[in-house]
Amino acid sequence: MDKRVLELHGLWSSRATRWAPRRHGMFGTKGQQCGVRWLGSSSSSAMNCTAPAAAVAAAPAAAKAAPYLDDAAQLIKSVETFIFDCDGVIWKGDKLIEGVPETLDMLRRMGKRLVFVTNNSTKSRKQYGKKFETLGLNVNEEEIFASSFAAAAYLQSINFPSNKKVYILGEVGIQKEMEQAGINFIGGPEDADRKINLEPGQLMEHDKDVGAVVVGFDRYINYYKIQYATLCIRENPGCLFIGTNCDAVTHLTDAQEWAGGGAMVGCIKASTKREPLVVGKPSTFMMDYLSNKFGISKTQICMVGDRLDTDILFGQNGGCKTLLVLSGVTTLKTLESPDNTIQPDYYANGLSDLLKLAKPVV
């Protein structure tokens, strides 16, 4: 990626070392301090993992609630690419959401490019390809972009040095993407059973060659991992703190919501007093990557998701059309709440609304 492009998005500093990103300030409303740095986000649209009360109080008044999508044919006609979130849009846990296969088939028949973007870092693109296949969906690996891939792509974009390592607080998806990118790493699932014997005078050693810590969703997080990541970030000069996402909840099963990757990122943020560089939604890093890879104009993209503060903001930050579906996290009550300041262009009950509403004109 061109250095000038990286510098524009805050990913490169000509005054820093070759691989170190710009140490820009926190984003947020004027006079407020936010709790995370979203790669590629502008100051007016960035979000934070844990916004201070003052920042919430200073938020703009809620906009008029988005309209229900009653002309799917027109929306489909107006764009060439649909980007879909996965959890809550395509599936919940390991259960496919009703009407999804037929809707995707219809869009492909109409010549639309389909891309699937997820903040879930537990799987690699190849592993997600197998999940799509298991659910009976024909999706190419090149159409899948997970935050695990985004973390590796970001490190490649800043020329992360070959003599440095990444410590992974996360699952196998991040490992596989680092391996695919040729980036040295340690940690991950291998540290799941490690324990610390806290005897008097106990000193924990860590690898001084770790140049970045990548924190993603981790069902096996423990005190060893927390301390190791903390030591690397606090004691290794120039060590990067990268978060795959700051999602509060995730859909591990279709029965309820579970604590998301933001819980793990927040843990390391608290212990290091450092702000993470977030590569997943709503950062525009993945959007820029996709636009460049496929040669897509962002105005010709519709982002479809179930979360306002990640999916819809991701689309808005990228200058795309946005469609919220109510099949996942966000309810109609939340969308229409006076406290909600993020409004999509349209909302629908689920992805299959595209099929039902567009059918007469297909």
Side-chain angles (χ1 to χ4, degrees), residues 75-84 112-115 117 286-304 311 314-316 318-323 345-346:
L75 174 62
I76 294 170
K77 183 180 178 181
S78 70
V79 297
E80 64 179 50
T81 300
F82 281 88
I83 298 180
F84 300 103
K112 303 302 175 181
R113 178 187 282 109
L114 308 184
V115 179
V117 176
M286 276 200 285
M287 183 70 75
D288 294 337
Y289 185 94
L290 291 170
S291 179
N292 293 330
K293 179 179 174 63
F294 294 116
I296 313 169
S297 168
K298 294 175 187 177
T299 59
Q300 287 290 307
I301 297 174
C302 179
M303 175 65 208
V304 184
D311 302 325
F314 175 64
Q316 291 177 346
C320 309
K321 291 183 174 67
T322 55
L323 173 65
D345 292 313
Y346 307 99

Side-chain angles (χ1 to χ4, degrees), residues 208-271:
K208 302 296 192 298
D209 289 330
V210 170
V213 172
V214 174
V215 181
F217 182 77
D218 192 341
R219 287 167 289 188
Y220 313 103
I221 189 170
N222 57 35
Y223 192 64
Y224 177 92
K225 294 181 183 182
I226 294 171
Q227 178 66 359
Y228 203 100
T230 301
L231 288 173
C232 291
I233 294 170
R234 292 180 65 170
E235 298 188 11
N236 289 5
C239 184
L240 305 177
F241 173 19
I242 298 172
T244 59
N245 69 85
C246 281
D247 291 358
V249 296
T250 188
H251 292 111
L252 296 180
T253 69
D254 63 345
Q256 67 178 161
E257 292 178 349
W258 300 78
M264 293 78 195
V265 174
C267 183
I268 303 305
K269 174 186 167 182
S271 65

